[in-house]
Amino acid sequence: SSRSPFLRIEIRSQKNLSLLVKELVLDSCSSDDGKISGLSSDFENLEFLSMINVHLHSISNLPKLNKLRKLELSDNRISGGLEVLAEKTPNLTQLNLSGNKIKEISTLEPLKKLPNLRNLDLSNCEVTKLINYRESIFTLLPQLIYLDGFCYKEAPDSDPEADGLDDEYDENGDGE
């Protein structure tokens, strides 16, 4: 077949080197059933992982990466299965799922189990078109400060309209 070659991370066999890796960018590499060849829990000090446009349908094969803080998964085909993140990346602070197939707020329920998550990007996902999208996300995930690249919360009970941010989904627009 004319399938593009898989990225092979040869340092997997060299445990000492994989311990040194803190940032790993695998953008536009091929994945095989959600697996990137060579990406494993051997990268235990990994803090940043980028897998943009790697044709992921699922993140179920993501290895356990306890120190991972930032995960870039934009422009894939992920539509659910986010419960894996709390188990495998418990210290995540930033998650980019923009350009994926997320359609419902309920799909994001598992992110409640990521207490350190402060920044979530769902730009170009169908879920962003739902009425009261922002309010629903902040109700579900009160730990968030940034949503879709914008700071919407300066304090835990901050009112976005009082902060001068218009809510394009609020028909009334008066906030009272």
Side-chain angles (χ1 to χ4, degrees):
S1 76
S2 62
R3 188 167 171 95
S4 57
F6 295 100
L7 173 70
R8 299 226 180 262
I9 303 169
E10 298 302 333
I11 58 176
R12 180 173 187 254
S13 62
Q14 300 172 9
K15 177 96 171 150
N16 290 339
L17 284 179
S18 62
L19 290 174
L20 298 174
V21 178
K22 291 190 176 208
E23 296 186 8
L24 191 56
V25 177
L26 303 173
D27 298 353
S28 300
C29 293
S30 295
S31 66
D32 183 23
D33 288 331
K35 288 184 187 174
I36 302 281
S37 182
L39 179 62
S40 73
S41 56
D42 287 348
F43 290 90
E44 59 186 68
N45 290 314
L46 202 60
E47 295 176 9
F48 171 79
L49 176 60
S50 183
M51 296 193 296
I52 296 171
N53 190 32
V54 297
H55 309 289
L56 288 178
H57 290 268
S58 163
I59 53 172
S60 62
N61 290 315
L62 191 67
K64 187 157 182 68
L65 300 166
N66 282 327
K67 293 186 179 177
L68 197 70
R69 306 290 227 152
K70 186 174 181 181
L71 181 58
E72 296 277 343
L73 295 171
S74 62
D75 300 322
N76 282 291
R77 299 172 184 147
I78 299 163
S79 60
L82 301 181
E83 57 279 348
V84 168
L85 293 173
E87 176 195 338
K88 297 188 177 179
T89 60
N91 294 301
L92 213 55
T93 60
Q94 296 181 48
L95 177 61
N96 186 340
L97 290 167
S98 64
N100 277 282
K101 306 291 182 190
I102 296 167
K103 298 178 182 178
E104 303 293 329
I105 298 287
S106 60
T107 303
L108 304 166
E109 272 294 314
L111 301 183
K112 290 197 299 193
K113 294 182 180 175
L114 291 170
N116 299 314
L117 188 65
R118 299 291 180 263
N119 188 335
L120 177 64
D121 195 337
L122 298 166
S123 305
N124 300 314
C125 290
E126 283 186 47
V127 70
T128 63
K129 297 176 185 172
L130 297 175
I131 293 173
N132 296 322
Y133 157 70
R134 290 184 191 101
E135 294 83 355
S136 299
I137 295 292
F138 282 116
T139 299
L140 178 68
L141 306 170
Q143 74 272 35
L144 284 183
I145 296 171
Y146 297 92
L147 180 61
D148 302 334
F150 296 99
C151 180
Y152 284 107
K153 242 168 65 171
E154 292 180 27
D157 42 315
S158 174
D159 177 7
E161 288 185 62
D163 293 338
L165 298 173
D166 293 330
D167 187 349
E168 61 193 310
Y169 299 104
D170 184 358
E171 298 283 326
N172 300 328
D174 59 9
E176 294 188 307

